[in-house]
Amino acid sequence: MAHDIVFFLAADDETAAATSLRGPGEAFESVTCRFIEPDSVIAEWDMYFEEPSAEAPPVEQLLGWAWPEWVTAP
């Protein structure tokens, strides 16, 4: 299911985890994105940053990506 999510840069994992229930608020500069599939979008965006392209990464590349660790439960 797609969600609206807010991206921001925290100084460390503890700071990021402390915002999990309330969001970054005014304390962090942030960007809100709508209709995001959180399970796959992070992997896709990471691949775009590694090799910018107008096309979506191939499914094989997406499935083989090393997923990040959670700082708090999704």
Side-chain angles (χ1 to χ4, degrees), residues 1-5 7 32-38 40-41 45:
M1 173 182 263
H3 301 278
D4 293 352
I5 59 175
F7 290 95
T32 301
C33 298
R34 300 191 179 282
F35 307 110
I36 299 294
E37 293 289 345
S40 62
V41 75
W45 287 353

Side-chain angles (χ1 to χ4, degrees), residues 5-66:
I5 59 175
V6 178
F7 290 95
F8 67 97
L9 182 60
D12 53 45
D13 288 350
E14 286 180 23
T15 305
T19 67
S20 66
L21 297 178
R22 60 176 170 71
E26 304 259 335
F28 299 95
E29 187 173 340
S30 62
V31 174
T32 301
C33 298
R34 300 191 179 282
F35 307 110
I36 299 294
E37 293 289 345
D39 292 340
S40 62
V41 75
I42 295 170
E44 290 181 34
W45 287 353
D46 194 53
M47 290 176 198
Y48 288 132
F49 287 126
E50 287 178 9
E51 294 182 42
S53 171
E55 302 297 322
V59 172
E60 299 81 26
Q61 185 180 2
L62 182 61
L63 295 176
W65 188 69

